[in-house]
Amino acid sequence: MKRSKKWLSSALVLSTVAGIAFSTMEFGATPQIAEASSLKIQPAESVSLVQLAVPNTKEAMKKIEELGIDLTHRIHVHNGQIEVDAVVTPSEVAMLKLYGITVKETLITENQLNQRAAERRTAVKQEQKLAAAEETVKILRANHFTNQSDTFLYVEAKSSSGAVSSTILTAKWTENGEEKTATLQQIQDAGEYLYHSFMLPVSAIPTDITIESSLGGSATSKVTEWLGEEKPDKPGEHYVKNFVDHYMDPTEIDARIENLVKEYPELAEIVEMPNKTNGYRRQAQATMGTLQNTAVVVTSRDWGHEGGNAISIELKKASAAGAPLSVGTSGSKIIVTLATDAAGNAKSTAKEVVDLLNAEVSDLVSATTYRGNAGNGIVEPAVSSLSDNLKAPASVSRDPFTVKAIRIGKHRDGSKPGVLGYSQEHAREWVTPLVSVETAERLLRNYSHDKETKKLVDNLDIFIVPSMNPDGGHYSFYDFNSQRKNMTNHCSPTQSDNGYRNSWGVDLNRNHDVGSAFDGYVGASTTNCLSGSYAGPSEHSEPESRNLVWLTDENPNIKFAMNIHSYGGYFMWSPGAYTPERETLPRPSAGEEAYYWQASDHILKEIKKHRGTVILPSRTGPIPDVLYSAAGNSADHLWYKKGIYTWNFEVGADLWNKETKRWELVGFQPPFEEGHEEAMEFSNGLLGMIDVAYQYSKDKKAPKSSVTPNGGRHDEKVEISFKTSEPATIYFTLDGSRPTFDSQKLALNGTREGPETLTFEKTTTVNWFSVDASKNVENRYEPGKNKKYNTKTFFIK
Ligand SMILES: [Zn+2]
């Protein structure tokens, strides 16, 4: 038998593009600035999001890898040049220029990013103001009417705090003695709040109705008959959505899902993950001095908020000549008296001061010279207060954070197929938790009256984790917009001065154990702790990634998952990584791949429904075919270790600019108006996947399969192909033995191609059976128990 391999030529182009992305090469080097100004100490730099033009040379690509450049998920080839979006500092730009890598276009500056944070603060304030004011609820109309199909209840109500979409109005009434409730949909026009409303069929007309608001207001009204001619146009349709109205930090997100559970105790619960994060907290630091050889880096023993921030340090010259170097403390103030020479000049070096601090006040601080410098310059007098540099308000806890999932389902005992959606592995992807929260709200708030929603909640066990990376998330909201990783610093003391504080952390989507950088796969760094895709000190070193493992270990009923990222508008699945020789992790079988495509079609259609967003075919498919290798990503763990069908969303598809005739990026933190649209459309998509899981749970029909041409006599050789009635994996043997689940599976022919064909050059018997995604076996064949497999013999002269 000979397997045909017809690689598409476009696959080669794609792998070339992918090649620049990441590296497993052993670069331990810290990015160093090549100019003479490097003698000065480096403050934490600002960053911008730029499009880099990268010449297609090995040297340029290697440099990107070596510098640990923080690439986004958006990459493409334009006029033979590779263009990739990256988050870079001015010194990185200077460094890249030396290798012919230039900034083609600055897409978003840090100033613009900070504007997003300011907008969000305004929205939060407005919300607090509205919530604090005494709320009133007015019922504008409460009508019943009967048309040719049914009797309906229609209500419009207005809340004085209604401009905030988290204001939830609930209607309560009685039908034939039975208490009924429904959530009202907020109605806006051109961004302006009009009222809330709902319309539902009723079995009996209630005499009155009460509207209660989540903010405490309420109102009751008689229900009267609707006489007018302007009947609402679509009787029976009442689906509520649109529950997110500003970017939410992980603390707000937590409160949101906790409240949902309080409201729907029958349908939802909180799952607390066992591995707490290290916390949104840091030690307090100061770098004293302005030159590298005179600088002294001081770090508190305690966390900043637990005393570190109170420490100050003064370096002062002894008043007498010939005085020795000494140190003393007064409360949390450290006073270093610098030694003087016979002429009364200060003479203590940075190294001497560092050694003294470590010897005498190690209960308060530790000290180092600057980034491994010998520290032989003479220290200048200075005063400095230590700071953890954290700017979040006190309402954001500095303690280790418990990551939470909201679990939704009528039966949450593991008896129903499980579905998992998780977001914000990457801290700066602010839209992604909104997708998760919106989805949870839609499932719960539509349950009582929307049949489709009820069907999903009654038959599935749905887990949603809005923020996998709350520490990094808080840091992104309050300190550094472009934070991608978690906040844990695994760097050595020479890379731990506060100038590096925006570069520490582990990429949680590179810290897993399948196809990892530790196994030699491409797309993460194991050695550069400052790299944008640092994989951590070891596989699963981080509590955040262990939480995902725990959740899926604990709930083996989970069969589908969505790993939600931004931006670029991609929809991808395993394999997610390849080796430097471009050998990918094993491809799914032909049947599994067909199932991925079939389900994707459904999910992408749901996304399109919101505002017509089309996820491009070139951005749909296995990760290495459409993006790049991502060693140790979480989706590969779920697919290869747990057998969970797992997709990766990159929300935020490019927008077409009609005037410039170019696709424009949306970025990690688009203006909220755009972020909101992305949350709505990808919530559609997540619900689409939940629907796929429902179809899976109901699929009891076994697949059927056939081969062409048929068996019998053939001249010379024969090439056969299989057909299945639905996406299904084919297990086959060619030696006459009975096929089993350990037999060979029909594979894909090549990248983005269909199933392989088999070519026989001598007489061969092929025995096979097929199995669909729901594990229904063709013809109820049971290996070892019966003989109901398919068989065909091809006789060749
Ligand atoms: Zn991401």
Side-chain angles (χ1 to χ4, degrees), residues 135-142 154-171 182-188 192-199 211-215 238 240-243 245 445:
E135 189 209 20
T136 54
V137 173
K138 234 193 264 176
I139 297 179
L140 305 178
R141 62 171 75 246
Y154 176 73
V155 176
E156 283 174 15
K158 193 166 186 172
S159 157
S160 58
S161 308
V164 179
S165 72
S166 51
T167 306
I168 302 298
L169 297 190
T170 308
T183 304
L184 279 71
Q185 169 72 60
Q186 191 202 59
I187 309 294
Q188 287 194 3
E192 195 168 323
Y193 169 66
L194 299 179
Y195 52 83
H196 283 70
S197 79
F198 82 97
M199 184 169 71
I211 307 293
E212 285 175 3
S213 164
S214 55
L215 298 179
H238 177 61
V240 272
K241 53 187 182 183
N242 199 8
F243 296 104
D245 67 351
R445 299 200 184 284

Side-chain angles (χ1 to χ4, degrees), residues 73 425-426 428-429 484 509 564-567 650 668:
H73 307 299
E425 280 188 325
H426 290 148
R428 62 193 173 197
E429 299 168 8
R484 167 183 166 104
N509 205 23
I564 307 164
H565 285 255
S566 77
Y567 60 88
E650 296 286 351
F668 296 110

